[in-house]
Amino acid sequence: MQMTDKKFYITTPIYYPSDYLHIGHCYCTIAADTMARYKKIMGYDVYFLTGTDEHGEKIARKAESAGTDPKSYVDNIVNAVKELWSRLSIDYSHYIRTTDDYHERRIQKIFKILYDKGYIYKGSYKGLYCVSDEAFFTESQVIKKDDGKCYCPDCEKELEYKEEECYYLKLSEYGQWLIDYYKEHPEFLEPKERQNEMLKNFLLPGLEDLAVSRKGLKWGIPCPIDSEHSIYVWIDALSNYITALGYPEEGQDDLYKKYWPCNVHFVGKEIVRFHAVIWPIMLKMLDIPLPKKVFGHGWVLFDDGKKMSKSRGNVIDPNTLIDKYGVDALRYFLMREINFGSDGYYSQELFLKRINSDLANDYGNLWHRITAMLGKYFNGVLPDEAENVYGDREKELKKMVLTLDANVESALDSFKFQDALIYIWEVIRMTNKYVEESAPWNLAKDEAKKEHLANVMYISFQVYYIVTAYLQIFFIDTPKKVFNRLGLGDNVTLESAKQWGSLKSGIKIEKGEPLFNRYDIEKEIGVSTVSSDENKKHINPPKESRHKANIEKEDFEKLELLTAKILVAEKVENADKLLKFVLDIGEGEQRVVVSSIAEYYKPEDMIGKTVLYLANLKPKKFRGIKSYGMLLLADNGETLSLMTSEKNFDAGCSVN
Ligand code: MSP
C-alpha cells in the first residue's frame, strides 16, 4: 500500500547547458534516479528535481561564438539533455530551467526579501576571475605558473583581473552559526570529510561576504533593486530547489509546503561549498528550514587521473555508450565501479571488464545455465521445491538471499550504491557456485535423485527472481525481460517477490536471448566513445592504472615526513645489508634509523646529506638495534636511491 506520509525530495545540481552533457553529469543523475527508484519501491512519495542553470557570461559567449542568441543556444542543449535523460530512463518529477518565467520571477522576489531584511548591501569587488567557471578566486586558491600568470584551480584556464561594483550578501555574519549548525547536525553534510574541508578551508578562516550581482551582465535575471545589475549565479542557481516548488509565492507553493525541506541534495564535491555554506546561510536568512542533507559525491576520472570536464574537452559521450552497450550496463557500471563519496575511474576497458564479468558472466550466464537445464530436464516447466532434500548449501543460499532485504536497505539508506550491488552480487556468485557444486548434470543421471534435481532448479530460479526484483532499483530493461520470461509480465513489486516461495512452480520459463553480451575487449577498445576526434587519446589509457586513487589527502597527512641530516652512518655488525644512521631531524632532536641499503651506499658517502625521512613509523628492532622511522628510497629494480632535498634545506622541514 502507498504510504503517502513517507515523503522524499531529492535533487541533482542544475547543470550548465554550455555544452552537451557527459557521463560525469550522467553519474550524478543516475545516482539520484537510482535513489528515487529505491525510495519509490519502498513506498515513498518521491519528488525528484533536476534541470539546467542557464544564465551567465559563459553561456552568452558560447552562444555568440555559435552565431546564435543565448536562449536559442540553451534551448538546443536542453532538448538534448532531456533526450538523454529519457534514453537513460531518468524519471524526474520536474525539470527546472532557470530561464523559466516562474523561476525568474521568484528569484527576483527572493532577492528582494533578502534586501529588505538588510542582508544585501552595495560594494565593489576586485579579484581574479574565471570566465569559464564564472567565479572569482582568492590569490591563495589560484594556480600560479612559471609564466607569472594565474590560472583557475578548477578548469585551469587563465584568470582575468577584474574590479566591479556589485551587491553583497552578508555571509560573514553567519560563519559561527554555521559552525555550530555542523556540530549539532553532523548528518547535514556527508561524507564526513567534506565537513572538515568546509571548516578548514572556509568557515574557520572566517567567511567573506558573497557577491550576488553583476553589473552589465545581459544574460541574467535583472536585479529588482537596481536596473544596472543582474543577479549573479548562486542566488539564481541554488534557489532553484525552492522556486521549483513554488516558493515564495503564496497560493502557488503547495509543492513547497509538501516537500520542503529537501531530504538530500546530491552535488559534486566541487560545489559542496556552495551547497553547504552559502545555501544554508541563505535559507537561514529567509527563515526557512535547511535541507536535511547535502551529499558531496566524487568525480568520474579518466584512468590518467584527469577529471572529465567540458572545459578540458575530454568528455565521453553517453549516447555512444548507450547505443553500444545499453542503458543497464551504463547505469550498472557507474553505480558499481565508484564508491559514491569518492573519486573513481572510467575507461572503456574498465567498463567492458565489468560488463563481461558481472553482467554477461555472473548474472547473464547464470540465467542461461539454469534455463538450459530446466529445458533439458523439465521441459522448461519449474518443478516443485522439495524441502526434504534441503542440505547446508540450500540453507545457506536461502539465508543469504533473504538477508538482502536488510543489507541492501542499510547500504542504500547511507547512499552506498556500490555496497548494495556488492551484496546482490554475492548472492549471484553464490548461486553460480551452488549450481556448480550441486552438479545437476550428475543428479539427472540418477532417477532416484530427481527430487534433488528439482530442488536445485527451484531454488536457483527463486533466488534469481528475488535478486532480479532487487535489481529493479538499478536496472531498467533487464528485470522486465526476466519477469516476462517467467511469465509474470512487466510489473513485479519487490514486496511481492522478495519472500521465499514467491515463485510458483508449474510456470513455463522461456530462455530467451542472452541478457547481456560479452565483448572482446581488445577488439572493442579503440572504438571511439569520445565526442570529438581530437580527444581520442583520452579514451584508452595505455593500461589499467597501477596507481588507484584510493586514499584521501587526510590519509597522506597522517605521514610525518621531514627533511633530516645524516650525522653518522655505519655498518651494522654481522648484517651485510644494514646500515645504521644517526639523523638530525630538527629542533635539536636526533634519531637512530636502520636501513637495508649497505649494498648500494658506502656509509662515508652519506654523511652530511639531507634526506627525506618518515618520522612517525612505529619503532622496530633490527639485529638488536631499535630503529625509529624510515628513510625514503626510490627503487628502479636494480639499485636504490636515497631521496634528498633538491635545495639544501635544514633538517626538520616538513615534506608534503
Ligand atoms: N550549474 C552548476 C550547479 C548549480 S546547482 C545549484 C554546475 N553545473 S555543472 O554543469 O558544472 O555540473 C556540475 C555537476 O555535474 C557536478 O557537481 C557533478 O554532480 C556533475 N559532474 C560534472 N562532471 C563530473 C565528473 N567528471 N564526475 C562526476 N560528476 C561530475 O556546477
Side-chain angles (χ1 to χ4, degrees), residues 3 12 35 107 139 227 231 253 257 297 302 502 530 573:
M3 298 181 53
T12 70
M35 188 47 60
I107 288 299
E139 287 273 340
S227 59
I231 296 171
D253 57 354
K257 286 188 182 130
H297 66 77
F302 282 99
S502 57
V530 178
E573 269 183 25

Side-chain angles (χ1 to χ4, degrees), residues 422-648:
I422 290 172
Y423 283 127
I424 296 174
W425 250 258
E426 271 175 6
V427 178
I428 296 171
R429 295 205 173 111
M430 180 82 173
T431 317
N432 271 308
K433 196 166 160 241
Y434 169 66
V435 172
E436 195 62 39
E437 288 177 355
S438 308
W441 44 92
N442 288 336
L443 299 175
K445 289 180 196 153
D446 186 347
E447 193 52 32
K449 294 193 173 144
K450 187 96 191 193
E451 235 186 3
H452 190 171
L453 177 65
N455 217 25
V456 174
M457 290 287 92
Y458 182 86
I459 289 173
S460 306
F461 277 100
Q462 172 66 83
V463 173
Y464 206 94
Y465 178 48
I466 297 180
V467 157
T468 305
Y470 280 101
L471 285 176
Q472 293 182 100
I473 300 169
F474 295 91
F475 286 160
I476 306 296
D477 300 328
T478 314
K480 287 185 198 141
K481 280 188 198 160
V482 171
F483 299 149
N484 276 302
R485 292 176 193 185
L486 292 169
L488 302 171
D490 277 355
N491 294 320
V492 164
T493 64
L494 176 58
E495 199 49 40
S496 68
K498 72 183 181 185
Q499 311 300 340
W500 196 261
S502 57
L503 201 58
K504 300 289 169 247
S505 57
I507 54 172
K508 175 97 180 136
I509 298 177
E510 193 196 318
K511 187 168 163 213
E513 295 291 306
L515 291 170
F516 288 96
N517 292 332
R518 64 178 6 271
Y519 297 91
D520 179 332
I521 297 186
E522 263 176 36
K523 265 199 207 147
E524 279 299 296
I525 281 189
V527 180
S528 176
T529 44
V530 178
S531 54
S532 83
D533 277 359
E534 69 185 65
N535 299 311
K536 272 190 184 146
K537 60 181 176 357
H538 289 288
I539 58 166
N540 294 318
K543 57 178 180 239
E544 197 179 330
S545 178
R546 294 179 293 138
H547 312 290
K548 290 285 173 237
N550 54 6
I551 66 163
E552 298 288 344
K553 183 123 195 295
E554 285 83 343
D555 295 319
F556 176 76
E557 280 165 359
K558 286 186 193 149
L559 305 179
E560 285 176 32
L561 292 167
L562 302 175
T563 54
K565 197 152 255 168
I566 300 180
L567 303 175
V568 176
E570 57 192 28
K571 288 205 152 209
V572 174
E573 269 183 25
N574 301 326
D576 291 341
K577 294 186 176 164
L578 300 182
L579 290 185
K580 176 186 150 186
F581 301 95
V582 179
L583 305 178
D584 171 3
I585 65 159
E587 296 183 353
E589 200 180 343
Q590 294 182 359
R591 289 275 180 95
V592 172
V593 180
V594 175
S595 185
S596 309
I597 54 169
E599 288 169 275
Y600 310 106
Y601 280 100
K602 287 191 194 133
E604 58 272 26
D605 292 341
M606 303 179 76
I607 294 168
K609 282 194 193 297
T610 302
V611 293
L612 304 191
Y613 169 68
L614 174 62
N616 61 335
L617 192 69
K618 289 192 178 140
K620 195 176 165 189
K621 271 196 179 164
F622 293 92
R623 300 281 163 136
I625 306 169
K626 205 162 187 186
S627 172
Y628 296 86
M630 188 174 101
L631 297 182
L632 299 197
L633 300 160
D635 183 355
N636 70 356
E638 284 177 25
T639 183
L640 299 180
S641 169
L642 269 177
M643 295 288 89
T644 54
S645 160
E646 197 248 328
K647 291 182 182 158
N648 194 16

Side-chain angles (χ1 to χ4, degrees), residues 328-346:
D328 286 355
L330 181 57
R331 291 181 69 122
Y332 176 77
F333 174 80
L334 291 173
M335 292 298 93
R336 172 62 185 82
E337 190 69 21
I338 306 168
N339 170 8
F340 194 53
S342 320
D343 291 348
Y345 292 92
Y346 168 86

Side-chain angles (χ1 to χ4, degrees), residues 12-17 21-25 27-28 53 234 237-238 240-241 266-271 275 297-301 307-310:
T12 70
I14 45 171
Y15 305 111
Y16 291 127
L21 301 191
H22 56 70
I23 64 166
H25 305 102
Y27 175 60
C28 182
D53 185 0
W234 290 106
L238 288 164
N240 89 86
Y241 303 127
F266 277 0
V267 299
K269 63 181 185 181
E270 79 293 351
I271 52 171
H275 288 80
H297 66 77
W299 287 340
V300 181
L301 302 168
K307 185 189 174 207
M308 198 174 295
S309 86
K310 287 174 287 199

